[in-house]
Amino acid sequence: SYGGAVITEAATGNPNVEALVYVAAFMPDEGEVLGQLAARFPGSDLNPALVKVPFTNADGTTGTDLYLSPDRFHAVAAADLPVEAASVAAATQRPLSASAFTDTATSAAWRTIPSWVAVATNDKAIAPDLERFQAKRAGSHTIEIDASHVAMISHPDPVADLIRDAARAQSSRPALAETGLNTSGIVGAAAAGGMLIAGAVLISVARKRPAIPTA
């Protein structure tokens, strides 16, 4: 989700980061604003499901935290999890600052670092067509999973395999990733009782040592 924007900025210029893995995530380019990027393709039900809660910043100004409405959480974020698991996740979710959708990206690490992408084909938080568009322009190794926004929880096996693939590929330090599309519709997986909506994994591969994926 928003974690994709975080690693896209944080990995830029970091020589220890050799691969980026995005799972149902934003992949902004330099100069893009997430709110505008999200609006480029239909299919997201996120905006009308958000609850806005004001808070006071350290400098005294007012900011806005965004939560998914508990009664919309299951349908928008976790439709392929049991209702009970989605309810726990809705109650324990962490907010996202509204400024995340208005800030401008200042760099795009995927332009110089190979990337792997999992498109969640039933995502109602980030439009699947946006996920496909981002992966295509980044030249990412891409899989598609028949999953909701929380593909990493409802379908952990293909997500874990994608992370391993990225780590293995980068252990030999290849050139920039070639574009590829491999679809997988996998049914049935363990669902977690609690979760944080996060759609990005950053892999840091230590040089001259086995690749170790870290989230």
Side-chain angles (χ1 to χ4, degrees), residues 115-166:
S115 56
W116 280 253
V117 170
V119 173
T121 61
N122 293 317
D123 198 337
K124 298 299 182 183
I126 300 177
D129 282 343
L130 174 57
E131 295 171 22
R132 294 184 181 104
F133 163 76
Q134 295 174 139
K136 183 177 180 179
R137 73 174 177 180
S140 306
H141 296 277
T142 306
I143 65 170
E144 296 206 357
I145 305 174
D146 185 13
S148 71
H149 188 58
V150 293
M152 72 295 293
I153 295 173
S154 61
H155 295 74
D157 290 342
V159 172
D161 288 342
L162 186 69
I163 296 169
R164 294 189 187 100
D165 287 346

Side-chain angles (χ1 to χ4, degrees), residues 8 13 25 34 36 57-58 64 71 76 98 102 104 110 115 121 154 189 199 209:
T8 296
L34 286 194
Q36 297 172 356
N57 289 307
T64 302
D71 63 344
V76 174
T102 58
T104 301
W110 50 260
S115 56
T121 61
S154 61
R209 289 192 296 177

Side-chain angles (χ1 to χ4, degrees), residues 165-190:
D165 287 346
R168 292 190 188 105
Q170 291 311 94
S171 65
S172 58
R173 302 179 62 79
L176 288 177
E178 297 178 359
T179 302
L181 177 63
N182 175 32
T183 60
S184 63
I186 300 178
V187 179

Side-chain angles (χ1 to χ4, degrees), residues 55-61:
F55 69 91
T56 302
N57 289 307
D59 62 0
T61 60

Side-chain angles (χ1 to χ4, degrees), residues 1 49 74 128:
S1 193
H74 187 242

